[in-house]
């Protein structure tokens, strides 16, 4: 099962390689990883989605905790969280298809952000399921290129 | 036929034309050594894996083939690291095979487990952790292709023990095609035209040969370009031998410890043609003051090297041999052949006596013409580069980029196995010698006729020299008290031991050294105060030598 | 003050008295000021030697061992030493020079990505970019190396940071989250209660003590009390040798692949296994699923990540072995063990059978063991001799047996022995080594005479890479590929080349006499002990088998049934 780990780390060079090195060294599987600065510029936050059973996740958490540069690890899988991915997708679109795509994207509250002669680019944010659904809905038109981020999560409430 | 992973590995190595491997057995590679025994591949049991890595490097560099070294997991693998890094910095084509604990135990800190692919990712061209026995033929074919193509370098294959034991059908893998790895071999025509124009119009061109000339095997092309342009030739440490050192046009090595003539030629030239070199800090001195008058043409197979350390006027990415052939064609078509210029003889003054330059001259006089010289790292290395004349590619083998003490003796071991007919001389210092000592056992066991010449000053001479210049002659922690009797040591290993006591002995001792095909250790005491001169001090341009 | 001077000042404040190392280009500014400090520098002959020596220093004292090396090959030469220290949780701080900041990442002369290379084999590492950070970094490095589960830390310092002028020296500060992370875990009362409950109800309890007990200063006495007050037998791992007196009848010796038959039998037949400061390594457990399968398991370790990593346990306790044993010694009294338990173990004791045609390694070990006293520290290399030593040579105290366990590094012995002797000038240091291992760092022999170190080198010479040969004999139809070292050096002459007394021993009588002479002298000796080249290490549990599948040439009759 997929677990989402929120990891606070020191924001300095080399930390990412320590974390990714740990995963490859111990044979853990990263599904996605997002890193960015937090409200405190000396701290970065990694959102790591890992595939594995409880035993593996426990080891991952413990091993991450052993890294000196890791400040805090929380498994937010079972917490109430808001999860988002960002998607950019370039789709084949002649003039007739453009309207159809625009309508379709409205349903998902996705936006068309660039229109070319025979293609357009759609931008969307949402949970992994929503993003997957958008991609599926665009497939019949012919997808030329996809870029998407991993999941970022935030725990709801005052915490 | 079903084979186990180890047998498939050996078959695939045979397919690659491997005839010799260096190695040290251990728990995780038992199957591999068991399979090797059934093959025609010669196995050399070294005494430390570091020696194995360096020996494979000496073998590869003497022969121009891919060298192979096998080690067990854990300490076996970590012992290779210095050797891998050394090969990486000097672009030596090597394939390392390490055993790993069984897949199920990877990541559990098992006995003799170490993350060797993680450790070596900064110092290999590529590395593999084999997950599946079916993948082995492809991985091995790729590893050899990557090691020797483009800019050569070391590749490591980590094989878990259960993969060595697992069985499957062996299907040779021959057509390597890696979509993310396609070295550029042909130079860009526009750039080549530009280069030719500059070369043709230059009045005082200098051609600098680097290790790439040896890797590309284009010494003949270089000679032709020299003849067509009337250029002076200088060399980096790695390029020595790629152009005849006894030629009038050759000015010697450039750089921090370069020959005076070479450095002056570089600083006054109007065109600097850099062939397969990487403008290392030890080559350029202060980059802002390097070749101030010159338009710089840089040809290298590695695009990342171009413009990395020095801005260049004409960058050309491609295999040197190809590019030089194109340049020669255009030069012949568009430009008149120049008259050969007679350069003044680059005479280096040497004082007679028991100093390394003079002893090296005498060594050269007595040594057979087919001699391959390996060196260690330190003063003796620079003295050899300055004063020993190398006329053939692959006759000078030394650790350039990483500057690894302890390289010379195992490299000599590899070179001698590669070239059994040649005379192999390892020139070393007392500090380096001690770092390469374990392999004396291997040389003795194989009864190889290697000649080791130790310049003994009972100190880490190069560090001492740096302290001389940069620390106001305060010498700290460089002196070895006389703790080692080299002649007795020679006896312990069954080698001939010869000691040069005085100036008058030199010729006789070297005559005796080369009179037979025995393992010989020659000790030559020198003064610890001797310095490598000239030297370009940090921050200076190459013409500012002291 | 220069960065280099500041570094030395910080090291002095950390009570560093001794460092091992080799100078080189980029560390010249450091070495230039080293003479002015109170720190003694030992010039080794290869950086690998420096790392192992620092490790030996650390293991024998529990204090941080420090080594210096230059950039590039100097740093890469440390790697095996760091990995060795990492696997055995030894507090080593390595300080490496790096090319000046402006040259970083340009493949400069003697540049290597030391921080990247050493990441998998250090607890933590630093690249210092500003000399002002030195006090903080040194303080953190020493804290990290010694706190929680100890381990090596590397500090990489560019040349221009050594020469950087520092005007204001900061008070060293350790980041808060690091302190929290590595603080001693509080012993959980509930878990302790569960452990007590299990132990109280067990009939056939067994304690298995590892390196964690060695590391936890002062736990020796408490372990003794716990065992003796309750008559619980004690087995050890390789890293735990010395934590329990070997002459005590409750002592069963080492467990695992080359464990004693009685220790392995006890593991497989106990009903409650108290494992303290061990990590259930594959060499210890054999086939994991069948390891101590009849027992409830209690696992005490300071490293939370070790608990449940390899072996599922009934009562996990994340604690320092000292705290745990201290509490246990107070709370565990009068458990009623099955009377037959100790007797049965006794019945499974192995019987030594000695061959008389050659000098038998076991006999040599027995001789060495008879010479070991409370002032002796035994250091070994890796291979057959290591296992023989582990089986038959017993130190009197923790830190009295120093060996590379987790990484199994051949060549560890000689430099480690040098570090041990340097740290403990009043102790007798005995190095038990093999002909393959000794050749790996042979260059360090130079230090023995130079510093007049009275180390006794007992070379168990069988002319083979014996352990590999043993596996080839047992599992590869005697296909002896690449293991013969018969053309080895003449060890007597080699010793002589270094001004060390050397002697070749071939008979039991010679052996007894000469080892005795060596031990009682204040001089270094190299004894080339020619043992039976065909001797194997038994008992042995083949890899992947469970601990009751013991192969051995000598065993008790009663035990034969379980051999299958």
């Amino acid at each position: 099962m997929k677990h989402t780990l929120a990891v606070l780390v020191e924001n300095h060079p080399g930390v990412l390689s320590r974390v990714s090195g740990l995963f490859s060294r111990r044979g853990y599987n990263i599904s996605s990883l997002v890193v960015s600065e937090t409200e405190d510029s000396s701290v970065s936050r990694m959102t790591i989605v890992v595939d594995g059973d409880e035993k593996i996740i426990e080891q991952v958490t413990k091993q991450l905790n052993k890294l000196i540069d890791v400040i805090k690890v929380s498994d937010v899988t079972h917490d109430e969280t808001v999860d988002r991915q960002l998607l950019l997708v370039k789709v084949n679109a002649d003039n007739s298809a453009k309207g159809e795509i625009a309508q379709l994207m409205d349903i998902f509250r996705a936006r068309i952000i660039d229109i070319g002669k025979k293609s357009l680019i759609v931008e969307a944010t949402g949970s992994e399921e929503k993003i997957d659904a958008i991609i599926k809905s665009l497939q019949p038109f012919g997808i030329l290129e996809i870029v998407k981020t991993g999941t970022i999560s935030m725990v709801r409430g005052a915490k | 036929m079903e084979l186990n992973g180890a047998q498939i590995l050996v078959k695939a190595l045979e397919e690659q034309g491997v005839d010799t491997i260096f190695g040290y057995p251990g728990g995780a590679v038992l199957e591999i050594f068991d399979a090797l025994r059934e093959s025609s591949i010669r196995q050399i049991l070294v005494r430390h894996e570091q020696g194995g890595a360096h020996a494979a490097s000496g073998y590869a560099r003497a022969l121009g083939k891919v060298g192979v070294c096998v080690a067990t997991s854990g300490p076996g693998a970590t012992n290779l690291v210095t050797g891998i890094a050394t090969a990486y910095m000097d672009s030596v084509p090597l394939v390392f095979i390490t055993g790993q604990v069984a897949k199920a135990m990877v990541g559990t800190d098992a006995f003799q487990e170490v993350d060797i692919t993680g450790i070596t990712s900064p110092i290999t061209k590529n590395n593999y952790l084999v997950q599946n026995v079916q993948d082995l033929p492809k991985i091995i074919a790729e590893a050899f292709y990557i090691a020797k193509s483009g800019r050569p370098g070391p590749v490591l294959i980590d094989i878990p023990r259960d993969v060595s034991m697992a069985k499957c059908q062996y299907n040779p893998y021959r057509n390597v095609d890696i979509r993310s790895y396609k070295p550029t071999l042909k130079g860009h025509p526009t750039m080549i035209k530009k280069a030719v124009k500059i070369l043709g119009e230059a009045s005082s061109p200098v051609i600098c040969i680097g290790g790439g000339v040896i890797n590309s095997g284009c010494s003949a092309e270089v000679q032709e370009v020299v003849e067509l342009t009337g250029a002076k030739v200088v060399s980096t440490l790695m390029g020595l031998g790629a152009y005849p050192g006894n030629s009038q046009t050759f000015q010697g090595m450039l750089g921090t410890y370069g020959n005076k003539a070479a450095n002056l030629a570089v600083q006054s030239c109007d065109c600097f043609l850099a062939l397969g070199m990487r403008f290392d800090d030890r080559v350029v001195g202060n980059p802002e003051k390097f070749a101030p008058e010159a338009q710089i043409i840089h040809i290298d197979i590695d695009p990342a090297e171009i413009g990395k350390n020095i801005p260049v006027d004409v960058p050309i990415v491609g295999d040197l041999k190809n590019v030089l052939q194109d340049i020669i064609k255009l030069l012949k078509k568009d430009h008149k052949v120049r008259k050969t210029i007679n350069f003044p003889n680059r005479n280096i003054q040497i004082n007679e006596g028991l100093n390394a330059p003079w002893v090296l001259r005498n060594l050269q006089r007595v040594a057979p013409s087919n001699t391959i010289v390996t060196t260690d790292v330190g003063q003796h290395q620079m003295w050899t580069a300055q004063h020993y004349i190398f006329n053939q590619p692959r006759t000078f083998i030394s650790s350039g980029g990483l500057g690894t003490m302890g390289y010379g003796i195992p490299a000599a071991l590899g070179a001698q196995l590669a070239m059994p007919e040649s005379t192999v001389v390892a020139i070393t210092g007392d500090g380096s010698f001690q770092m390469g000592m374990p392999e004396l056992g291997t040389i003795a066991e194989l009864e190889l006729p290697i000649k080791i010449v130790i310049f003994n000053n009972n100190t880490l001479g190069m560090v001492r020299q740096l302290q001389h210049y940069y620390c106001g002659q305060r010498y700290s922690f460089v002196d070895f008290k006389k703790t080692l009797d080299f002649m007795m040591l020679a006896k312990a290993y069954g080698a001939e031991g010869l000691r040069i006591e005085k100036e008058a002995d030199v010729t006789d001792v070297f005559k005796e050294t080369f009179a037979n095909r025995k393992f010989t250790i020659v000790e030559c005491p020198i003064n610890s105060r001797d310095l490598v001169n000239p030297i370009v001090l940090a921050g200076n341009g190459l013409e500012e030598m002291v | 003050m220069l960065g280099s001077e500041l570094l030395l000042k910080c090291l002095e404040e950390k009570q560093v008295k001794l460092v091992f190392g080799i100078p080189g280009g980029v560390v010249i500014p450091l070495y230039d000021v080293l003479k002015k400090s109170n720190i003694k520098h030992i010039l080794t002959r290869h950086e690998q030697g420096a790392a192992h020596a620092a490790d030996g220093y650390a293991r024998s004292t529990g204090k941080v061992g420090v080594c210096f090396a230059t950039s590039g090959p100097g740093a890469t030469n440390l790697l095996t030493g760091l990995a060795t220290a990492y696997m055995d949780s030894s507090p080593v701080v390595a300080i490496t020079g790096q090319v000046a900041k402006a040259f970083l990442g340009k493949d400069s002369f003697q540049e290597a990505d030391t921080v990247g290379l050493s990441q998998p084999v250090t607890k933590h590492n630093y690249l210092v970019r500003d000399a002002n950070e030195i006090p903080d970094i040194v303080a953190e490095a020493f804290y990290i190396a010694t706190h929680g589960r100890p381990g090596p830390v590397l500090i990489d310092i560019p040349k221009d940071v050594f020469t950087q002028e520092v005007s204001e020296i900061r008070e060293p500060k350790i980041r808060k989250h690091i302190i929290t992370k590595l603080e001693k875990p509080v012993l959980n009362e509930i878990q302790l209660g569960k452990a007590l409950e299990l132990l109280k109800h067990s009939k056939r309890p067994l304690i298995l003590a590892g390196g964690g007990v060695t590391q936890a200063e002062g736990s020796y006495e408490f372990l003794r009390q716990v065992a003796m007050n309750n008559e619980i037998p004690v087995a050890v791992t390789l890293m735990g040798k010395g934590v329990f007196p070997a002459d005590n009848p409750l002592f069963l010796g080492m467990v695992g692949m080359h464990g004693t038959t009685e220790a392995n039998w006890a593991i497989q037949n106990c009903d409650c296994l108290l494992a303290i400061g061990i990590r259930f390594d594959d060499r210890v457990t054999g086939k994991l699923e069948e390891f101590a399968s009849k027992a409830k398991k209690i696992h005490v370790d300071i490293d939370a990540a070790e608990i449940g990593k390899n072996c599922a346990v009934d009562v996990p306790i994340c604690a320092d072995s000292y705290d745990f044993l201290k509490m246990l010694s107070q709370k565990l009294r009068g458990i009623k063990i099955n009377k037959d338990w100790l007797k049965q173990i006794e019945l499974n004791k192995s019987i030594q059978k000695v061959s008389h045609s050659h000098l038998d390694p076991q006999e040599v070990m027995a001789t060495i063991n008879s010479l070991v006293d409370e002032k002796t520290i035994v250091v070994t290399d890796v291979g057959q001799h290591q296992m023989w030593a582990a089986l038959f040579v017993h130190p009197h105290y923790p830190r009295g047996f120093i060996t590379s366990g987790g990484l199994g590094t051949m060549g560890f012995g000689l430099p480690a022995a040098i570090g041990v002797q340097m740290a403990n000038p009043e102790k007798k240091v005995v190095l038990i080594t093999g002909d393959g291992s000794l050749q790996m760092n042979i260059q360090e022999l130079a230090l023995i005479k130079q510093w007049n170190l009275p180390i006794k080198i007992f070379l168990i010479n069988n002319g083979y890479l014996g352990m590999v040969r043993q596996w080839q004999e047992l599992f590869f139809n005697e296909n002896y590929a690449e293991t013969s070292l018969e053309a080895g050096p003449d060890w007597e002459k080699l010793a002589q080349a270094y001004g060390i007394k050397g002697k070749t021993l071939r008979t039991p009588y010679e052996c007894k006499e000469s080892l005795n002479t060596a031990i009682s002298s204040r001089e270094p000796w190299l004894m080339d002990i020619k043992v039976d080249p065909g001797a194997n290490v038994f008992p042995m549990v083949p890899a992947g088998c469970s601990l009751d599948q013991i192969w051995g040439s000598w065993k008790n009759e009663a035990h034969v049934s379980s051999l299958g």
Side-chain angles (χ1 to χ4, degrees), chain B residues 499-536:
Chain B
R499 192 165 196 274
I500 296 171
E501 304 281 355
K502 52 186 188 301
E503 197 182 322
D505 295 349
V506 172
T507 305
D508 288 346
V509 166
F510 284 139
K511 277 192 178 145
E512 200 183 333
T513 306
F514 295 110
N516 56 47
R517 299 278 290 167
K518 282 187 194 150
F519 176 24
T520 308
I521 296 176
V522 182
E523 180 190 8
C524 177
I526 55 168
N527 194 316
S528 63
R529 288 189 297 275
D530 289 354
L531 301 174
V532 179
N533 281 324
I535 173 176
V536 178

Side-chain angles (χ1 to χ4, degrees), chain B residues 24 34 37 45 48 75 78-79 82 108-109 111-112 278 281 308 401-403 434 474-475 485 489 492, chain C residues 31-32 35 48 73 76-77 80 107 109-110 117 279 282 309 406-408 443 465 479-480 482 490 494 497:
Chain B
Y24 205 98
D34 198 40
R37 209 169 154 88
L45 171 64
H48 188 296
T78 53
N79 278 346
T82 298
T108 67
D109 310 301
F111 179 65
Q112 295 195 329
R278 56 190 183 85
D281 50 319
K308 187 181 77 176
L402 198 67
Q434 295 186 64
R474 291 184 302 276
Y475 306 114
D485 177 343
L489 189 75
Chain C
Y31 276 79
D32 193 30
K35 265 198 173 160
Q48 184 174 353
T76 54
N77 277 346
T80 299
D107 309 306
F109 179 66
Q110 294 196 327
L117 285 161
R279 55 188 184 83
D282 52 309
K309 187 183 80 177
L407 198 67
Q443 71 283 348
L465 293 174
N479 185 356
Y480 299 133
E482 292 306 291
D490 178 329
L494 190 69

